[in-house]
Amino acid sequence: MLTLTVALKAQTTQENTGENNIVIKKYQAKAPPTQFFGAEAFKPTNQTVIRWLGMGGFFINSRGTTMMFDPVLEGFDMPVMIEFPITPKEIPHLDAILISHADNDHFSLPTNKDLLPVTKAFHSTIYVDSLMTNEGFPSFGHIIGGKFRFGNIKVRLTPADHAYQNAYPGMSKRHFKNEDACGFWIDTPDGSIWAQGDSRLMNEHLQMKTPDAILFDFSDSEWHFTFEGALKIANAYPNTPLLLSHWGSVDAPDFAPFNADPEKLKAQVVNPERVFVLAPGEPYVLKRLVK
């Protein structure tokens, strides 16, 4: 598991006003106030409900089949600007946890260790599975394009380009491969969800069938889609709701991976009303697009 503080710490900038030097913190878009939820959100329903957990994480309850994607609910090693909408001890059960890659803002050992007693299975890439196996998790590793299912949900791993570690000598002794990270295509009884994970833009990302919702990796970092890449993906699926993540959570105004402004996306994207700036914990009901 990789920590991100080795890359950069948040800083402030100084503005000289003449007589006084005033320290001004750079503007950073922040998520709306948290909407807390509890065990009631895990009960069976007649629909599929998605909740952003903050950071890059989501909780999905699809007619009683429950899962989390990249949950970080505690123990992160940088200051955060949000309250997490639920604590691990409040979670009654999960059919699965899906992990996109090994960075600790997606693969949180403190969170996953505390969720271990209530989670049936963990799924990820072959590499991340090896890390989870070493921790004693009931985990399964899959190749890109690999498929699995649990409850009423079918999942397929989608490709990612996020082997940034190789670009920074000394950051890791291991040579990373693109297939060490992934996204997930999630088919539910109420529609399809593309959980993108972290990635630079790939041609494959523009050539998928149309999802009914995208758990949208929204970040200005060159090792993510970037703003221009996010626009390309959004406009490739012009009617798909975009549930923004990876923004507005970590107090790091000078650290590009955690910074992006939803208002800028709304100003340029096709059909801006489909950009959902959810509060952590706010429910979103999945609906099939009219084809």
Side-chain angles (χ1 to χ4, degrees), residues 31-42 49-61 68 72-73 82-87 90-91 243-245 247-249 276-285:
T34 296
Q35 297 183 17
F36 299 97
F37 65 94
E40 74 285 347
F42 294 77
V49 178
I50 305 170
R51 298 174 191 262
W52 182 39
L53 297 174
M55 311 285 282
F58 285 87
F59 166 59
I60 300 172
N61 181 346
M68 285 187 173
V72 179
L73 299 173
I82 63 170
E83 294 183 89
F84 295 114
I86 192 169
T87 65
E90 294 174 304
I91 296 171
L243 280 56
L244 304 189
S245 71
W247 74 282
S249 302
F276 285 87
V277 182
L278 297 175
E282 180 180 356
Y284 171 86
V285 178

Side-chain angles (χ1 to χ4, degrees), residues 78-98:
M78 295 176 69
V80 296
M81 301 188 296
I82 63 170
E83 294 183 89
F84 295 114
I86 192 169
T87 65
K89 67 181 180 180
E90 294 174 304
I91 296 171
H93 60 83
L94 290 168
D95 291 291
I97 291 177
L98 278 53

Side-chain angles (χ1 to χ4, degrees), residues 219-241:
S219 168
D220 286 342
S221 169
E222 62 178 329
W223 287 99
H224 292 247
F225 295 131
T226 71
F227 182 78
E228 293 75 15
L231 274 179
K232 288 181 180 179
I233 291 180
N235 292 338
Y237 310 100
N239 298 310
T240 297

Side-chain angles (χ1 to χ4, degrees), residues 94-269:
L94 290 168
D95 291 291
I97 291 177
L98 278 53
I99 303 294
S100 65
H101 63 291
D103 288 348
N104 71 333
D105 62 325
H106 294 262
F107 177 39
S108 166
L109 271 180
T111 300
N112 287 299
K113 284 183 176 180
D114 280 346
L115 291 177
L116 182 58
V118 296
T119 304
K120 292 182 180 179
F122 295 76
H123 295 271
S124 188
T125 63
I126 300 297
Y127 169 62
V128 179
D129 171 54
S130 71
L131 303 180
M132 295 192 290
T133 297
N134 288 341
E135 296 292 337
F137 292 2
S139 62
F140 299 87
H142 308 273
I143 61 173
I144 302 301
K147 300 177 181 179
F148 59 95
R149 66 180 302 161
F150 53 91
N152 57 26
I153 289 177
K154 299 178 182 178
V155 182
R156 173 174 56 85
L157 273 68
T158 60
D161 176 354
H162 198 57
Y164 66 90
Q165 299 88 348
N166 302 330
Y168 303 97
M171 187 174 188
S172 174
K173 295 180 180 179
R174 181 180 185 274
H175 179 81
F176 280 78
K177 300 174 287 187
N178 279 347
E179 56 263 38
D180 294 335
C182 71
F184 296 96
W185 186 277
I186 304 165
D187 283 314
T188 80
D190 302 296
S192 58
I193 304 165
W194 179 20
Q196 295 176 322
D198 289 3
S199 179
R200 295 193 290 190
L201 182 62
M202 305 173 70
N203 286 335
E204 294 93 327
H205 296 149
L206 304 175
Q207 300 170 359
M208 305 175 75
K209 66 179 182 179
T210 300
D212 296 302
I214 299 178
L215 310 186
F216 202 66
D217 173 29
F218 190 49
S219 168
D220 286 342
S221 169
E222 62 178 329
W223 287 99
H224 292 247
F225 295 131
T226 71
F227 182 78
E228 293 75 15
L231 274 179
K232 288 181 180 179
I233 291 180
N235 292 338
Y237 310 100
N239 298 310
T240 297
L242 309 175
L243 280 56
L244 304 189
S245 71
H246 216 290
W247 74 282
S249 302
V250 178
D251 189 0
D254 292 306
F255 197 6
F258 297 123
N259 284 281
D261 188 343
E263 295 306 314
K264 292 182 180 179
L265 183 65
K266 288 181 179 180
Q268 297 190 43
V269 74

